[in-house]
Amino acid sequence: MIDANAERLYARPRTPVGDIWRRFVRNRLALAGLAIVLLLCVAALAAPIIAPADPARQVLDDKRTKPGSDYLLGADEFGRDILSRVIYGSRVALIVAFLAVGSATILGGAIGLISGFVGGWVDEVLMRLMDILLAFPYLLLAIAIISALGPGVFKTTIAVAIWAIPNFARVVRGQVLTLKERDYVLAARALGARTPRLLLVHITPNTIAPVIVFASLYMANAILLEAALSFLGLGVQPPQASWGLMVASGRDFLRIAPHVATIPGLAIMFAVLGFNLLGDGLRDAIDPRLRNRM
């Protein structure tokens, strides 16, 4: 029989990523969030295969049909299959969320990295510009950008990205201000490491974990903002399927056909819930201060 100490001695060494994954899988809510997000991604990628009908095909004789055998989730006011439109609407939501948050992460991260590391008047100028953007209510800022650029998926993505950039810049700047005073950064500087090496090797890798957590949580906000803009008629335009647009078109039939608006509303709710649970799980798994609770 192998001694327990010997097992631990010859056990495969743990890696930081492996430790994070082990803590993550212990969190059932985080796994539920991951399952929801993966389901949305599969639905968006395989929409032409799994959608039961063309999302733009109208059958006026079947308008406002209730959920049943012919239409699993019912039909809307034009007789279009709601299930198909919800599936295709996931494409719009995820495209806007991933592209907008990805762009905001890169641009906002670069601004925060430069601002926090350089300091001085550069920090003051960049942060005051970010404060100007943060001074606007997020929906009004998005509406102003859309009004200037015009509606559409790509324009909506730009509006959501501009809204998110200041928040990512502030998060990264806060991390950099802490990291640049750490002993290993000071030692590297004393050994002659230049600024690009300090940023790329010693500082940027240590900001990735909190930025990933923040980005996963911000996906939910991006989906909500895209739905709000489409609901107001400023985002995705018909006949393209969008959850916010579907809620807007179905609000006039809440008394006689509540499923037309409530089903896409539930899709928005589950998408936001999934990304929030995933982000909370990543935060709990990555943050060393919370490890004793896992």
Side-chain angles (χ1 to χ4, degrees):
M1 188 171 180
I2 302 176
D3 184 60
N5 293 327
E7 279 191 17
R8 286 194 295 269
L9 181 64
Y10 291 105
R12 183 177 298 177
R14 291 186 174 184
T15 63
V17 176
D19 286 338
I20 291 172
W21 175 248
R22 274 186 285 271
R23 289 191 293 273
F24 181 83
V25 296
R26 294 194 194 107
N27 189 334
R28 294 183 179 179
L29 290 177
L31 290 177
L34 179 61
I36 293 173
V37 172
L38 290 177
L39 181 62
L40 287 174
C41 292
V42 170
L45 292 173
I49 300 173
I50 63 177
D54 183 350
R57 186 174 70 91
Q58 300 181 11
V59 183
L60 295 179
D61 291 338
D62 295 336
K63 61 182 181 181
R64 297 191 296 273
T65 299
K66 295 182 179 179
S69 57
D70 294 333
Y71 296 94
L72 190 61
L73 295 182
D76 65 6
E77 70 277 14
F78 295 109
R80 296 173 297 191
D81 182 56
I82 292 179
L83 176 59
S84 299
R85 293 184 64 77
V86 167
I87 291 173
Y88 274 87
S90 66
R91 281 186 160 186
V92 173
L94 292 183
I95 286 173
V96 172
F98 280 111
L99 289 182
V101 174
S103 302
T105 301
I106 295 172
L107 296 176
I111 292 171
L113 194 66
I114 295 171
S115 178
F117 190 81
V118 176
W121 67 269
V122 174
D123 182 31
E124 287 293 328
V125 170
L126 291 177
M127 286 300 102
R128 295 301 76 78
L129 291 174
M130 296 300 102
D131 288 342
I132 291 173
L133 291 177
L134 288 171
F136 292 94
Y138 72 95
L139 189 55
L140 290 181
L141 177 63
I143 290 174
I145 296 169
I146 289 292
S147 300
L149 298 178
V153 177
F154 181 67
K155 310 295 178 53
T156 303
T157 302
I158 295 175
V160 176
I162 293 175
W163 161 66
I165 283 174
N167 296 283
F168 281 91
R170 292 172 71 89
V171 168
V172 173
R173 175 181 177 269
Q175 292 291 317
V176 173
L177 289 176
T178 301
L179 292 170
K180 74 176 185 178
E181 302 299 331
R182 294 288 176 87
D183 291 340
Y184 62 87
V185 176
L186 297 176
R189 192 195 297 271
L191 291 172
R194 297 181 179 274
T195 298
R197 179 175 178 82
L198 290 174
L199 290 175
L200 295 175
V201 176
H202 299 286
I203 293 180
T204 301
N206 291 291
T207 65
I208 291 176
V211 168
I212 289 175
V213 174
F214 191 69
S216 63
L217 290 170
Y218 232 79
M219 292 283 187
N221 294 332
I223 290 174
L224 281 176
L225 184 54
E226 182 277 322
L229 291 173
S230 296
F231 180 86
L232 295 173
L234 299 173
V236 177
Q237 298 299 297
Q240 191 169 7
S242 168
W243 294 339
L245 193 61
M246 293 170 68
V247 173
S249 63
R251 62 183 171 176
D252 295 331
F253 310 103
L254 283 175
R255 290 187 178 181
I256 59 176
H259 64 281
V260 177
T262 55
I263 290 175
L266 289 173
I268 297 172
M269 184 196 74
F270 278 110
V272 171
L273 178 64
F275 278 107
N276 279 330
L277 292 177
L278 177 61
D280 287 341
L282 287 174
R283 181 201 61 196
D284 293 343
I286 291 174
D287 194 337
R289 293 170 296 181
L290 302 175
R291 290 179 184 176
N292 293 331
R293 293 167 45 189
M294 303 292 292

